[in-house]
Amino acid sequence: MKMDKYRFDGIFTDGREIYTTNLTPGKNVYGENLVKIENVEYRAWNPKRSKLGAMLLKGSSYFPFTQTSKVLYLGAASGTTSSHISDICIEGILYCIEFSPRSFRDLISVCEFRKNMLPILADASKPDEYSAIVGCVDVVYMDIAQREQSSIFIKNMKKYCKSGGLGIMAIKARSIDVSEKPENIFSKVKKELSGEFEVLELINLEPFEKDHASIVVRHP
């Protein structure tokens, strides 16, 4: 097997799947395949388990994560996607916000071996709760199943994202309104965010994620 660089730094492909280099060799996070080539271990990034992975495979033009990025991750859950970001931001830091105590316990287990991930048990709808810990960041990433997704994203972007920094939001249409067509909800969210930020991209995540889209914005 040969591993080639993908379209963005820190991501690789064997021609079928995408991978990140494993920051914690020998350990996987969510049952993903580990592949070792020339003394480098890679972790398969499953797009059906990660909306950011799905966004990449759907051809996104934006991936703002670098080796030194400071990232605010809202809705880190058990650490699936954030662990792949951790593989990339090896000299940066991920502030991982999670509200569910059960998911937070799993997240702590992941962060224990990944020193660039800081788990924070908090409510993302109340960004002041973690202001003593989180500083200005380069990227805000959000994956939260709440009706007021746009409002939560806007508040956190305004409080923590640097000028010119990017934000990525995974839009969960069914969490916002189960009776409305997902395409209409995606358009509504885009309109809401365009009143605050420069909208760079909106991508439907099917077939990897049904009724989901990702939107990328830039803070003024």
Side-chain angles (χ1 to χ4, degrees):
M1 179 186 291
K2 180 184 177 183
M3 203 67 73
D4 296 313
K5 288 186 177 181
Y6 195 56
R7 296 181 296 117
F8 301 103
D9 289 344
I11 306 174
F12 303 85
T13 182
D14 60 1
R16 295 171 300 175
E17 298 181 274
I18 56 174
Y19 298 79
T20 53
T21 53
N22 194 357
L23 185 64
T24 57
K27 297 181 182 295
N28 60 12
V29 174
Y30 56 101
E32 72 278 11
N33 289 331
L34 303 180
V35 178
K36 194 168 186 178
I37 301 174
E38 296 180 355
N39 295 320
V40 178
E41 188 173 271
Y42 300 87
R43 299 172 57 223
W45 196 340
N46 187 342
K48 293 185 177 180
R49 297 283 301 276
S50 167
K51 296 169 192 68
L52 184 59
M55 184 181 110
L56 285 166
L57 288 177
K58 285 300 297 280
S60 175
S61 299
Y62 298 92
F63 191 78
F65 306 97
T66 69
Q67 285 192 358
T68 59
S69 292
K70 295 179 181 178
V71 181
L72 174 59
Y73 193 119
L74 306 169
S78 56
T80 297
T81 296
S82 54
S83 67
H84 283 290
I85 299 174
S86 165
D87 287 338
I88 295 165
C89 304
I90 55 176
E91 297 175 14
I93 186 168
L94 279 75
Y95 300 103
C96 300
I97 310 297
E98 178 52 45
F99 185 65
S100 164
R102 174 176 289 184
S103 294
F104 190 71
R105 286 195 294 269
D106 294 335
L107 179 63
I108 288 175
S109 297
V110 175
C111 297
E112 183 179 355
F113 299 99
R114 292 174 172 270
K115 302 307 180 184
N116 59 352
M117 293 177 65
L118 180 62
I120 302 170
L121 183 63
D123 184 349
S125 68
K126 301 174 181 177
D128 288 339
E129 284 189 356
Y130 37 92
S131 61
I133 303 172
V134 180
C136 183
V137 299
D138 305 300
V139 186
V140 174
Y141 182 85
M142 192 181 90
D143 183 2
I144 290 177
Q146 291 194 30
R147 185 177 180 86
E148 302 301 325
Q149 292 170 38
S150 297
S151 172
I152 294 170
F153 184 68
I154 289 169
K155 285 191 292 185
N156 279 275
M157 280 288 293
K158 285 185 171 181
K159 187 169 184 65
Y160 294 110
C161 190
K162 71 177 185 181
S163 177
L166 297 194
I168 302 173
M169 173 181 167
I171 307 171
K172 300 170 180 277
R174 295 306 180 194
S175 295
I176 295 174
D177 190 340
V178 295
S179 64
E180 184 62 85
K181 291 182 179 180
E183 293 78 10
N184 294 342
I185 292 175
F186 300 155
S187 296
K188 180 181 178 182
V189 170
K190 181 180 179 180
K191 184 177 180 180
E192 290 172 346
L193 298 188
S194 65
E196 304 287 346
F197 315 110
E198 177 188 0
V199 175
L200 302 175
E201 180 179 81
L202 176 64
I203 295 180
N204 192 310
L205 298 183
E206 289 194 16
F208 303 112
E209 291 280 359
K210 185 179 180 181
D211 301 332
H212 285 70
S214 66
I215 188 166
V216 183
V217 303
R218 178 179 285 120
H219 196 294

